[in-house]
Amino acid sequence: MSVPNEYMNVEMQPPFYKQLNIVDWIFAILLIAGSIFAFQKYSGLMDGYEVGILFGTAISLIAIGWVWKPMRALMFYIAVLSLFAINLYGNDLAAAENNFFLKFLFSGQSATMWMSALFVMATVAYFVELFSGNAFTGKVATAMTWAATAMGFIGLLVRWRETYLHGIDVGHIPVSNLYEVFILFAIITALIYLYYEKKYETRSMGAFVLLVITAAIAFLLWYHFERDAAEIKPLVPALQSYWMKIHVPANFVGYGAFALAAMIGVAYLIKDVAVKRNPQGRVAARLPSLDMMDDVMHKSIALGFAFFTIATVLGAMWAAEAWGGYWSWDPKETWALIVWLNYAAWLHMRLMKGLRGPVLAWWAVIGLFVTLFAFVGVNMFLSGLHSYGEL
Amino acid sequence: MNKPNKKHSRLDIILEFFGSMNLAITILVAIAFASVIGTVLQQNQPYNDYIIKFGPFWHEVFQTLGLYNIYGALWFLALLIFLVLSTSVCIYRNTPIMLRDMQQFRLNVKEKSLRLMSNTQSWTTEKKAEEVEKIIQHFLKLKGFRTRIKDHEDHRVIAGMKGRWNRSGYIFTHVGIIVLCIGSFLDGGFGLTIKEWTGQIIPETRDIRADKVPKISRLKPQDSISFRGSISLPEGGSSNIVFLNVRDGYLVQELPFAIELKDFRVEHYTSGMPKSFESDLIIHDDQLDEPLEQTISVNHPLIYRGYALYQASFGDGGSNLTLRAWPFHSQKLQTLDIDIAVKENRSLNTLFGKYRLEVDDFKMFNIFPNTEEEKAVTGKRFKNFGPSFTFKVRDASGVANEYHNYMLPVTQDKRRFYLSGMRSTVAEPFRYLHIPADNKDSLDRFMAFHALLHDPIRAKRIAQDSVKAAMSDVNKTDKKLQDDVVNSMMNLLTLFNQGGYSAIERDIKNKVPKDKQVDVAQAYVKILQNLLQNTYIALLKQEGVETEKDVSDFDNQFYEDAISAFAGIGAYGSPVYLQLADFKHRESSGIQITRHPGQNIFYLGCLMLIIGIFMMFYISYQRIWLILKPENGQLMITFAGSGNRNQRDFAVEFEQLKSHAVKITS
Ligand code: HEM
């Protein structure tokens, strides 16, 4: 086609790969190099699936970093600080008590404590920002959320190493009990939130989302101090599988996204009431538009639903390998199905029936309770094949 | 809804009903509710437990509703079938729409309808229609749109479409659901249910040997499409059947091959927690040139000819035990060695008649968490009590108590005890008899002490000696009084032998007036203790222990512990104490065997579902139209678009598209 070129000069977006800059490429090369290094060093400990997971993870992380640029920096800091801490350990677990940096900053437990503290402070800051509208406080809140997330990841990665220091046969990815997955829950929820915060350029949903994270932190601390849950324990045979590395994180993207949607639902309902009572009021003015919150809620549930579907299917595949059947109506399995059906119905109502407004928001809030029951309630109240993380 | 049909046929109405979104959502919610009940109400428990929990009335109601086995209940199956039907109808009705959406560009849109869209804009340009057409088409192509043009004489329509795979996402998801349902129906074991209804098979409820199970309860390999069964194989044993649990009975499923267990291993972490369970299996099959050897472990099953073999559990495979029976309540210190295997039973002739000994289980390790103090002392988080076995002793009337005995003495508070747990019903916890171990860590002294107290002649001699000694102290030599004291000593001893101190207490309550009871009790205890202590001293002397000076702390403590243990023997219920003297361990491995031919169909359905969901959520489906219409020597352009999802996002994108389009066409 002979279209005069000058017409096309209007800033057409170049294809995606041409938009990548030098930092993107260095980032990708570092990740690839890192995974090749890990492969060379530890391939003796990995089976074929785990090698696949290693490189798959590297590729996914590259993709995430390319699409959402701040992730590159986050990953960089996490990697550097975790490696620093792991290096301080050497082969001696006792370093956790003797070394200053480990003891006060970067041992698995210390980093987790920092994460907890930062999340709580970020929550306060978001609330201050919400009520005062002070932009600087908002920025601080965001920074603290990023820092908390980094600390959470560092805590988990260092803990991963610590499990191996307990004994080569004890070593395992730290997503094996309720303590560890609560950390995972907090940081994944925070990450999803940070993504939307940037995308929609508003901080006024932060207070609500961080509230659910703070609740998780409260539980985490109680669990840590009352039940000694931070202790590293070896895995029961049923959990020794590469499936854990993909099944659990996929699940927590689901849980995190659902929790986020529910908290946006709360904000939506508050705004809805406020607008009706006093459209010019402070509350109505400070919260984002109903339209936008509806959109975030829907996007988040869609994201959660997609990952939760994958997680459930992975769970079924794992069950087929460990328990002798891909579906046994075990309470955890069944509750996953309930959660899934609930959000399937939600999505149908919104997309097919065109349902909008407070009803959907209420439904998303109720969905959190259903999710919560599947997450912790099943472990507390019901017995079954899945009762690994007991209270 | 897809055809403007005026007259609704009956079929249409049925399709309308099944394909309605309301029905679909109702079913989804109903299944969710049923599933909740299924997890809250424990499934497949013995009926008795339910009756106790809910009372007979509600039990009847719940049972009729099938609440005790919801996922196998007819109405639950019906719900799933409805779901499949509803989804199928939905697909049948919507697929043509989706396909049309993917192919048709809607080149006949009217300008008026474009102007009514929420994303729309009109502008004019000096450029020629042909030129604008080219520019726009090129531009849209760069933006990822496929385009078509149609000439309508007085105006031209350019239609663009992007992300049409979004539409096939619907087909993928919903067909996926049907496919996965079909896969899981295949594996749901409904074939067996139907065979049971039609009376072709009847589950066996008796506890009999597998080869004695009648034909009506047996299934040939080709008789079942899918099943889930299990078998417990002792080391060295082999089997070509598995048992399928059916409520309170079972079926015998034959396999086209035999499984032999060569070896079973449990490995432990240093902390004592189990680390792995492994079974070395040998498959014997006529189809194989030589037997197939394979080790299975948790998470690593063996798939053979469509059958999956899982490491599921483990237990005792009939260990050979040598038990030393020590008689209780007897003056003779004579033991009897019994050889018996786990799961066997034999008769026991005792002073108190015939009993039956049934050995239930043997455990090589008994690992318990250490308390904080123990952790501090030993540096270990767990302790191992060593081997133990459980057994029942059944009397002639059929009443049995259950026992749990450890082979080795266990350290508690720095003392060593042989522990024997006893209970009369499964519901209660074991109550432990603590028999102190002597200085050689054996039972000898305790049993000798026990026998001595039951020997009327020797005990009486000791009683006389001690009374004499006591009386000589106060210079009394009244023979009659002496005899009286000795007699009451012996009476007290008899009572004590029967039921410890509580037997004496009971006796006092019955015979002594209330106001004197306390005094009498104190006197009795004094008298009895005198005898017991002297008996113990006599025993120590007999052992050659120096007793003239102070008795050692150990011997003192032993005495205290032995007296407490004697007090417990009365309620022990068994006429003998069974000591585990020796054993030959033989383990068994619990192997679960399943056949799920629908598994891959199920996975295919899941895969389609996931692909479909991602297509629907993450491919955005957009259409745009431009109408080019010459007007007053200029070209009037009307631009409009719609996205099927995320209106906000589309509005933003449309703004950009539009401003580009305006720029390049002006
Ligand atoms: C097993 C039950 C079902 C499940 C799990 C299920 C799942 C889904 C999912 C995940 C979506 C994507 C939601 C979205 O578009 O964002 C969807 C969309 C949809 N479902 Fe279902 N569905 C089920 C049954 C049905 C039934 C019975 C109908 C028909 C009445 C139906 C009609 C639709 C339609 C029309 C769409 C939207 C397609 C579109 O235009 O994008 N679904 N379904």
Side-chain angles (χ1 to χ4, degrees):
Chain A
M1 197 178 293
S2 63
V3 178
N5 255 340
E6 63 267 28
Y7 291 126
M8 288 299 121
N9 288 344
V10 254
E11 322 87 54
M12 288 297 297
Q13 276 204 343
F16 183 74
Y17 71 92
K18 281 199 183 154
Q19 297 172 34
L20 297 174
N21 60 23
I22 180 83
V23 180
D24 285 312
W25 288 111
I26 293 175
F27 164 73
I29 289 166
L30 279 177
L31 262 169
I32 298 283
S35 36
I36 290 174
F37 174 75
F39 173 71
Q40 290 208 320
K41 196 157 169 160
Y42 300 113
S43 60
L45 289 171
M46 295 192 276
D47 61 24
Y49 299 103
E50 285 167 319
V51 174
I53 292 171
L54 172 67
F55 287 103
T57 309
I59 291 167
S60 320
L61 291 181
I62 291 173
I64 292 173
W66 280 356
V67 173
W68 183 23
K69 306 292 182 190
M71 286 301 277
R72 297 173 312 184
L74 180 74
M75 285 183 218
F76 178 76
Y77 289 126
I78 290 172
V80 168
L81 292 174
S82 313
L83 287 174
F84 172 63
I86 289 169
N87 203 38
L88 288 179
Y89 263 120
N91 283 319
D92 181 16
L93 202 53
E97 291 303 318
N98 307 331
N99 183 288
F100 173 82
F101 287 105
L102 291 180
K103 189 166 180 188
F104 294 106
L105 285 169
F106 298 129
S107 76
Q109 290 192 22
S110 308
T112 306
M113 284 301 147
W114 278 107
M115 171 198 81
S116 307
L118 284 163
F119 269 138
V120 174
M121 292 192 289
T123 313
V124 175
Y126 272 119
F127 269 106
V128 171
E129 193 265 358
L130 181 64
F131 289 113
S132 70
N134 182 318
F136 178 73
T137 321
K139 279 189 187 144
V140 170
T142 304
M144 286 198 290
T145 309
W146 277 107
T149 309
M151 274 307 200
F153 274 110
I154 293 168
L156 283 182
L157 289 172
V158 175
R159 185 181 171 87
W160 197 345
R161 174 67 186 172
E162 287 166 0
T163 62
Y164 277 91
L165 294 178
H166 271 81
I168 193 85
D169 56 356
V170 177
H172 58 266
I173 183 170
V175 292
S176 67
N177 60 33
L178 215 47
Y179 172 81
E180 293 162 343
V181 297
F182 256 86
I183 304 175
L184 190 67
F185 172 78
I187 54 189
I188 288 185
T189 311
L191 271 185
I192 302 174
Y193 165 72
L194 287 169
Y195 178 76
Y196 289 128
E197 177 183 287
K198 181 81 194 135
K199 183 161 179 209
Y200 288 86
E201 290 173 340
T202 169
R203 291 205 168 88
S204 39
M205 296 181 295
F208 295 90
V209 179
L210 269 279
L211 209 54
V212 77
I213 295 181
T214 298
I217 297 296
F219 175 85
L220 186 75
L221 295 179
W222 171 81
Y223 201 40
H224 181 162
F225 291 112
E226 285 297 309
R227 298 293 169 93
D228 224 2
E231 208 183 334
I232 289 172
K233 294 193 183 119
L235 290 185
V236 296
L239 288 184
Q240 298 163 7
S241 168
Y242 64 91
W243 286 108
M244 194 163 77
K245 296 194 165 96
I246 42 183
H247 170 64
V248 180
N251 249 321
F252 278 83
V253 176
Y255 286 157
F258 293 150
L260 186 137
M263 296 316 286
I264 305 293
V266 172
Y268 186 102
L269 292 169
I270 292 175
K271 167 108 176 178
D272 189 53
V273 172
V275 168
K276 278 180 196 142
R277 286 229 182 109
N278 179 8
Q280 263 72 52
R282 263 234 319 242
V283 183
R286 298 290 312 145
L287 285 170
S289 76
L290 288 177
D291 218 25
M292 173 204 279
M293 289 197 278
D294 175 80
D295 197 37
V296 177
M297 206 158 65
H298 164 230
K299 283 223 174 77
S300 188
I301 284 183
L303 175 79
F305 189 72
F307 275 87
F308 201 71
T309 310
I310 295 180
T312 309
V313 172
L314 291 175
M317 297 173 84
W318 188 359
E321 205 164 293
W323 301 335
Y326 50 84
W327 200 263
S328 323
W329 295 106
D330 160 80
K332 195 86 174 184
E333 256 173 18
T334 311
W335 272 92
L337 177 71
I338 294 164
V339 169
W340 192 81
L341 290 172
N342 176 50
Y343 288 108
W346 192 97
L347 287 165
H348 275 90
M349 286 311 273
R350 186 180 193 281
L351 297 162
M352 302 320 305
K353 289 266 167 187
L355 185 67
R356 290 287 188 287
V359 178
L360 268 192
W362 273 113
W363 194 341
V365 174
I366 292 165
L368 178 62
F369 288 96
V370 180
T371 307
L372 198 66
F373 194 84
F375 181 5
V376 267
V378 173
N379 300 26
M380 277 164 60
F381 303 117
L382 308 174
S383 62
L385 301 165
H386 244 104
S387 315
Y388 299 123
E390 270 154 43
L391 281 174
Chain B
M1 86 187 211
N2 38 1
K3 270 183 215 145
N5 219 346
K6 291 239 173 58
K7 256 196 4 215
H8 282 292
S9 71
R10 191 171 293 160
L11 184 70
D12 280 341
I13 295 173
I14 290 174
L15 289 188
E16 185 79 34
F17 170 71
F18 274 110
S20 84
M21 185 63 80
N22 288 346
L23 179 69
I25 290 179
T26 312
I27 298 173
L28 293 187
V29 173
I31 292 177
F33 264 101
S35 306
V36 171
I37 299 174
T39 59
V40 174
L41 185 69
Q42 275 210 358
Q43 300 285 291
N44 295 312
Q45 301 293 304
Y47 280 163
N48 258 338
D49 293 9
Y50 290 126
I51 296 179
I52 293 168
K53 226 184 207 163
F54 305 117
F57 175 74
W58 288 111
H59 166 72
E60 187 84 19
V61 174
F62 290 172
Q63 194 190 346
T64 318
L65 290 177
L67 297 193
Y68 298 146
N69 180 16
I70 284 199
Y71 312 117
L74 262 185
W75 58 266
F76 192 74
L77 180 64
L79 268 182
L80 294 178
I81 291 175
F82 259 82
L83 182 73
V84 169
L85 276 181
S86 160
T87 314
S88 311
V89 172
C90 183
I91 293 169
Y92 169 76
R93 291 178 22 174
N94 280 307
T95 304
I97 303 175
M98 301 293 170
L99 292 178
R100 212 180 316 134
D101 274 355
M102 291 173 73
Q103 284 152 8
Q104 295 187 357
F105 283 77
R106 308 219 186 113
L107 286 157
N108 295 326
V109 280
K110 296 277 172 301
E111 196 181 326
K112 212 166 72 193
S113 47
L114 288 197
R115 285 182 191 280
L116 285 175
M117 289 186 169
S118 47
N119 298 300
T120 181
Q121 172 92 29
S122 297
W123 66 95
T124 55
T125 173
E126 305 288 333
K127 288 201 167 77
K128 287 247 177 47
E130 287 74 32
E131 193 185 351
V132 169
E133 234 168 57
K134 268 188 194 156
I135 295 170
I136 289 290
Q137 263 191 308
H138 187 67
F139 166 67
L140 289 181
K141 204 173 143 205
L142 282 179
K143 285 284 177 189
F145 285 88
R146 304 193 311 145
T147 53
R148 295 281 185 281
I149 299 188
K150 189 168 178 187
D151 194 355
H152 290 272
E153 308 207 332
D154 64 329
H155 71 275
R156 295 175 145 243
V157 174
I158 306 176
M161 168 162 51
K162 182 168 148 177
R164 63 196 164 120
W165 288 106
N166 169 285
R167 309 312 298 161
S168 60
Y170 166 82
I171 303 173
F172 270 96
T173 359
H174 293 77
V175 174
I177 288 190
I178 294 178
V179 171
L180 76 84
C181 282
I182 290 173
S184 48
F185 280 142
L186 275 182
D187 293 344
F190 296 112
L192 281 187
T193 316
I194 291 169
K195 280 207 174 74
E196 218 190 311
W197 280 342
T198 51
Q200 283 169 279
I201 51 167
I202 299 172
E204 177 61 66
T205 48
R206 293 165 297 168
D207 194 8
I208 52 177
R209 270 175 45 188
D211 52 353
K212 296 265 170 23
V213 172
K215 226 167 157 204
I216 189 89
S217 309
R218 299 180 81 87
L219 293 158
K220 296 250 167 272
Q222 66 275 10
D223 284 348
S224 29
I225 311 168
S226 67
F227 66 80
R228 190 164 180 170
S230 58
I231 181 98
S232 170
L233 279 180
E235 284 170 321
S238 87
S239 166
N240 60 356
I241 55 144
V242 290
F243 296 101
L244 316 183
N245 284 330
V246 184
R247 291 185 309 278
D248 49 352
Y250 61 91
L251 295 168
V252 171
Q253 168 75 51
E254 295 175 6
L255 301 172
F257 51 86
I259 311 159
E260 183 188 334
L261 179 67
K262 202 165 110 190
D263 190 22
F264 173 77
R265 289 178 300 278
V266 184
E267 278 180 48
H268 293 91
Y269 291 107
T270 42
S271 66
M273 262 178 66
K275 176 165 134 190
S276 73
F277 307 104
E278 287 184 357
S279 295
D280 295 339
L281 300 183
I282 307 175
I283 305 290
H284 301 276
D285 188 345
D286 295 339
Q287 289 188 6
L288 290 169
D289 294 333
E290 55 186 72
L292 171 73
E293 292 204 25
Q294 170 101 27
T295 301
I296 61 169
S297 60
V298 181
N299 273 313
H300 298 280
L302 162 66
I303 315 281
Y304 178 71
R305 287 179 66 183
Y307 294 83
L309 281 63
Y310 297 89
Q311 177 69 60
S313 61
F314 67 101
D316 194 276
S319 297
N320 291 311
L321 309 183
T322 305
L323 306 179
R324 183 158 303 152
W326 301 81
F328 277 148
H329 310 292
S330 159
Q331 64 196 56
K332 272 197 253 159
L333 195 57
Q334 196 177 37
T335 61
L336 170 73
D337 279 2
I338 301 169
D339 284 318
I340 190 167
V342 173
K343 297 273 166 0
E344 282 183 358
N345 64 70
R346 57 162 285 171
S347 65
L348 272 182
N349 291 319
T350 74
L351 287 175
F352 304 89
K354 245 188 167 162
Y355 285 82
R356 241 195 139 69
L357 166 65
E358 307 166 7
V359 178
D360 294 326
D361 199 6
F362 169 80
K363 266 208 211 139
M364 188 76 174
F365 303 103
N366 284 281
I367 291 168
F368 299 96
N370 268 328
T371 60
E372 288 302 325
E373 298 99 72
E374 287 167 333
K375 245 189 257 180
V377 174
T378 59
K380 291 197 183 133
R381 297 209 349 236
F382 296 87
K383 58 190 169 210
N384 183 5
F385 282 4
S388 71
F389 71 116
T390 49
F391 59 98
K392 289 195 195 76
V393 176
R394 196 178 292 281
D395 69 15
S397 63
V399 179
N401 290 317
E402 193 184 355
Y403 299 88
H404 178 218
N405 289 10
Y406 288 95
M407 180 177 194
L408 304 171
V410 165
T411 305
Q412 282 185 353
D413 297 332
K414 304 214 178 83
R415 289 129 70 190
R416 307 265 292 160
F417 295 100
Y418 283 89
L419 295 186
S420 173
M422 188 285 259
R423 64 181 175 190
S424 25
T425 64
V426 203
E428 49 188 298
F430 281 110
R431 292 186 306 274
Y432 281 88
L433 182 65
H434 287 62
I435 301 181
D438 59 25
N439 47 5
K440 298 190 296 290
D441 227 14
S442 76
L443 282 166
D444 292 347
R445 182 189 285 178
F446 178 83
M447 287 301 176
F449 194 7
H450 178 81
L452 195 49
L453 291 177
H454 283 79
D455 187 334
I457 297 170
R458 288 168 62 201
K460 189 159 187 181
R461 203 175 305 139
I462 295 169
Q464 282 164 344
D465 287 351
S466 49
V467 170
K468 243 185 234 155
M471 295 219 162
S472 69
D473 283 355
V474 285
N475 263 334
K476 281 191 190 154
T477 46
D478 186 337
K479 184 83 177 76
K480 167 96 176 38
L481 183 62
Q482 266 187 31
D483 285 351
D484 280 353
V485 178
V486 168
N487 279 343
S488 61
M489 257 186 181
M490 291 310 287
N491 284 341
L492 286 173
L493 181 61
T494 312
L495 280 173
F496 179 76
N497 280 339
Q498 278 165 6
Y501 283 116
S502 47
I504 296 171
E505 204 175 305
R506 240 174 290 132
D507 188 62
I508 294 172
K509 277 215 176 107
N510 287 342
K511 292 187 186 151
V512 181
K514 248 207 170 104
D515 51 335
K516 300 232 176 74
Q517 281 178 359
V518 176
D519 295 341
V520 172
Q522 275 173 357
Y524 274 11
V525 167
K526 228 175 183 172
I527 296 173
L528 179 64
Q529 273 181 349
N530 188 305
L531 174 59
L532 295 174
Q533 281 164 2
N534 283 320
T535 311
Y536 185 59
I537 299 287
L539 182 72
L540 289 182
K541 269 195 191 132
Q542 197 180 310
E543 272 188 30
V545 176
E546 178 62 56
T547 57
E548 295 306 317
K549 282 182 259 145
D550 271 351
V551 178
S552 72
D553 284 349
F554 176 86
D555 290 336
N556 252 331
Q557 186 66 57
F558 183 93
Y559 170 79
E560 300 287 336
D561 293 335
I563 296 296
S564 328
F566 290 146
I569 291 176
Y572 187 63
S574 161
V576 290
Y577 175 79
L578 291 178
Q579 183 192 6
L580 179 56
D582 198 5
F583 63 86
K584 194 164 168 299
H585 194 197
R586 189 177 185 216
E587 285 166 293
S588 78
S589 175
I591 296 170
Q592 184 176 186
I593 301 177
T594 65
R595 205 172 124 84
H596 287 144
Q599 180 160 325
N600 287 333
I601 302 175
F602 175 83
Y603 288 160
L604 177 71
C606 292
L607 185 69
M608 293 176 69
L609 176 64
I610 291 172
I611 292 176
I613 287 175
F614 273 86
M615 284 176 162
M616 290 219 272
F617 291 164
Y618 296 107
I619 299 178
S620 90
Y621 173 70
Q622 303 174 354
R623 288 171 170 280
I624 51 170
W625 294 271
L626 289 103
I627 291 185
L628 313 179
K629 195 172 174 190
E631 237 176 50
N632 314 330
Q634 285 189 323
L635 188 66
M636 167 83 171
I637 302 178
T638 308
F639 186 29
S642 75
N644 77 326
R645 190 134 308 166
N646 298 332
Q647 303 307 333
R648 287 175 57 90
D649 295 352
F650 182 73
V652 174
E653 274 187 54
F654 182 82
E655 265 312 299
Q656 287 176 354
L657 279 179
K658 185 205 69 192
S659 53
H660 276 166
V662 172
K663 250 188 220 160
I664 57 181
T665 52
S666 308

